[in-house]
């Protein structure tokens, strides 16, 4: 029942982190911070959309309140974080990040070496990274 409100609250929270980025929603490109409002407006095109829009306003309010209490107030108001993340969730995220950094399921590589023997930085001009340039001239297919 409250899924549309939750989706809008999550999209509001995520797009506040991506200010200045461009997103596409329903074939329209717009700044990322306007996407939740576009999600609200699209409800007017569907039957029963006004009731869904009212429910999504609750999600917009909840997302805005969360953003204010967890980021804006502690950073700019001098207060403390009034909605701290539970410790168990922080541990789960840290454990997941360490799994992805370790490269589970990937090939074993010696420490200090990158794929292709390059430095990992693109020091030359052109569209290909250094790791691809060390592979030789390549062959054209077809």
């Amino acid at each position: 029942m409250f899924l549309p409100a939750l989706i809008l609250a999550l999209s509001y929270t995520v797009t506040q982190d991506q200010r200045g980025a461009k997103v596409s929603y329903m074939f329209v490109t717009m700044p990322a911070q306007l996407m939740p409002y576009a999600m609200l407006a699209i409800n007017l095109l569907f039957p029963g959309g006004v009731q869904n829009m009212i429910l999504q306003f609750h999600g917009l309010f909840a997302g805005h309140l969360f953003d204010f209490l967890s980021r804006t107030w502690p950073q700019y108001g001098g207060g403390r974080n009034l909605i701290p993340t539970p410790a168990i969730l922080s541990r789960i995220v840290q454990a997941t990040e360490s799994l992805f950094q370790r490269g589970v399921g990937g090939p074993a590589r010696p420490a200090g070496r990158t794929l292709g023997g390059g430095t990992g930085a693109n020091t030359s001009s052109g569209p290909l990274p250094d790791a691809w340039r060390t592979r030789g001239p390549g062959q054209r297919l077809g």
Side-chain angles (χ1 to χ4, degrees), residues 51-105:
Q51 288 85 8
N52 198 17
M53 188 182 210
I54 292 170
L55 185 61
Q56 285 183 340
F57 270 122
H58 290 92
L60 183 68
F61 176 74
H64 183 75
L65 188 65
F66 174 79
D67 189 49
F68 178 77
L69 293 177
S70 64
R71 286 187 225 162
T72 307
W73 176 249
Q75 287 179 359
Y76 302 110
R80 63 179 181 89
N81 185 359
L82 298 175
I83 307 176
T85 304
I88 185 76
L89 289 178
S90 297
R91 285 193 297 263
I92 289 172
V93 169
Q94 289 172 353
T96 306
E97 285 176 354
S98 67
L99 283 176
F100 284 117
Q101 288 174 355
R102 204 173 46 169
V104 173

Side-chain angles (χ1 to χ4, degrees), residues 14-15 17-24 29-35:
V14 168
T15 57
D17 291 340
Q18 299 173 352
R19 286 190 170 270
K22 298 285 184 186
V23 295
S24 294
T29 302
M30 66 186 81
Q33 65 265 20
L34 295 180
M35 192 178 99

